Amino acid sequence: MDEWVRIKASNLYAYYIYDGETYEDVRVDVNFENRGVNSQQVSLVCRKSEEGWYEFSVQSDGLWYLWAVTMNSEGKVIYNRVANGGSTKIKQGKAENEYGLLCQGEKISFFINGTEPKGSPVAERKFAYRRGSVGLNVSSLRAIPVLIEIDWFKVSEP
């Protein structure tokens, strides 16, 4: 794949959503290399629909978040934190990382460089998204430029 994501302004979110298919139980994985500043976030998305979506976000500083994303009546995106934590498995600096997100039934599992961190899986019943598209996101936080080289993105059945 070897696609580059370049973000030159802070606090921007670049989403890449594959809407050619919708999935109920699905696993998405991404392998990428950071080539820019060590202040960015890479996320995986499952079950994206008009209702909302689940998003597993990993920051380069070692923190991760699981979000249930909704929209309010004015169309503003709201990130509802479902779970969060930290992991020493996140490679910082100019390094290669691999993240995974598994949405299966009400259970959401996530992976960082082949390891399932404490806090995964999560049984999510409040938002209960059931079906939708998949994708990924690269976000700039404070420092720029963000340069991410995506080696591959994979969608598979659990």
Side-chain angles (χ1 to χ4, degrees), residues 16-18 21-31 42-48 53-57 66 98-104 108-112 132-137 152-158:
Y16 299 85
I17 302 299
Y18 173 66
E21 185 81 35
T22 59
Y23 305 89
E24 190 169 320
D25 291 343
V26 67
R27 178 167 174 157
V28 288
D29 294 272
V30 66
N31 181 280
V42 174
S43 305
L44 291 168
V45 171
C46 71
R47 298 181 177 165
K48 184 182 183 309
W53 66 89
Y54 294 116
E55 184 169 331
F56 173 55
S57 301
L66 178 62
E98 186 175 315
Y99 303 151
L101 173 64
L102 171 61
C103 296
Q104 191 168 24
I108 302 173
S109 305
F110 34 93
F111 308 89
I112 299 169
S133 302
V134 297
L136 64 93
N137 162 295
W152 51 262
F153 175 76
K154 179 170 69 172
V155 180
S156 59
E157 285 187 51

Side-chain angles (χ1 to χ4, degrees), residues 105-126:
E106 66 182 27
K107 187 170 87 172
I108 302 173
S109 305
F110 34 93
F111 308 89
I112 299 169
N113 293 316
T115 302
E116 191 170 7
K118 184 178 180 181
S120 174
V122 172
E124 203 294 301
R125 295 177 189 96
K126 180 178 179 184

Side-chain angles (χ1 to χ4, degrees), residues 35-93:
R35 301 303 305 152
V37 296
N38 192 38
S39 177
Q40 88 294 13
Q41 177 174 278
V42 174
S43 305
L44 291 168
V45 171
C46 71
R47 298 181 177 165
K48 184 182 183 309
S49 68
E50 291 179 7
E51 238 185 313
W53 66 89
Y54 294 116
E55 184 169 331
F56 173 55
S57 301
V58 184
Q59 295 180 279
S60 57
D61 61 2
L63 300 176
W64 60 262
Y65 298 87
L66 178 62
W67 306 100
V69 182
T70 58
M71 297 246 223
N72 68 14
S73 58
E74 291 86 40
K76 181 180 179 198
V77 175
I78 300 168
Y79 291 85
N80 303 281
R81 186 173 57 215
V82 174
N84 67 295
S87 174
T88 59
K89 300 294 182 184
I90 300 165
K91 298 176 193 165
Q92 298 183 0

